[in-house]
Amino acid sequence: MRQSRHMSPVTIERNFFITYTYTIWDLQTRTTLKSWRRVSPSSIPVKPRRDAVEAFRLTTGHDCLAAHLHRLDISTEPFCPLCDSGEVMERDHLLRCGALLGLTGVSRYWETRALFRQ
């Protein structure tokens, strides 16, 4: 006699619940230590989008700065190649970088990104 390949609604519901519960738990576990989990929505401006992108990237550390690129093995060293100060190029360094004087915070981020593309 041939077995039916159809599952009962109760079996389908139970399988869905188990799979869904495991997936949510797994996702929460894997994302607990992610830097973007600690970002306060109030710290990210709503408009303009350019400002929001810059704030989110710098807050999470997922940016185009040398320190992050070094962690990803894209750059050979984490130091600022723009001003040769020997400082690690992170968010705080953008405010002191001699090569970016006269620019606002948002402009400094985007100018750095443009210079790295060259």
Side-chain angles (χ1 to χ4, degrees), residues 5-94:
R5 293 184 184 201
H6 299 286
M7 291 191 283
S8 72
V10 172
T11 304
I12 293 171
E13 184 178 341
R14 183 173 34 125
N15 288 346
F16 175 77
F17 178 76
I18 290 169
T19 302
Y20 176 78
T21 303
Y22 176 75
T23 303
I24 293 298
W25 176 82
D26 185 47
L27 183 63
Q28 289 173 338
T29 302
R30 288 186 294 139
T31 61
T32 300
L33 300 176
K34 297 290 184 182
S35 58
W36 48 263
R37 295 278 289 190
R38 297 183 298 275
V39 175
S40 168
S42 62
S43 68
I44 308 296
V46 178
K47 291 184 180 177
R49 185 173 189 275
R50 179 181 175 93
D51 293 1
V53 168
E54 176 261 348
F56 183 80
R57 287 180 181 170
L58 290 176
T59 301
T60 60
H62 291 266
D63 48 45
C64 65
L65 303 181
H68 179 64
L69 298 177
H70 180 68
R71 279 191 299 272
L72 299 174
D73 287 328
I74 295 172
S75 175
T76 56
E77 52 187 35
F79 307 111
C80 181
L82 303 177
C83 67
D84 295 325
S85 66
E87 289 186 55
V88 173
M89 188 178 211
E90 293 180 315
R91 177 186 189 160
D92 296 334
H93 176 72
L94 284 183

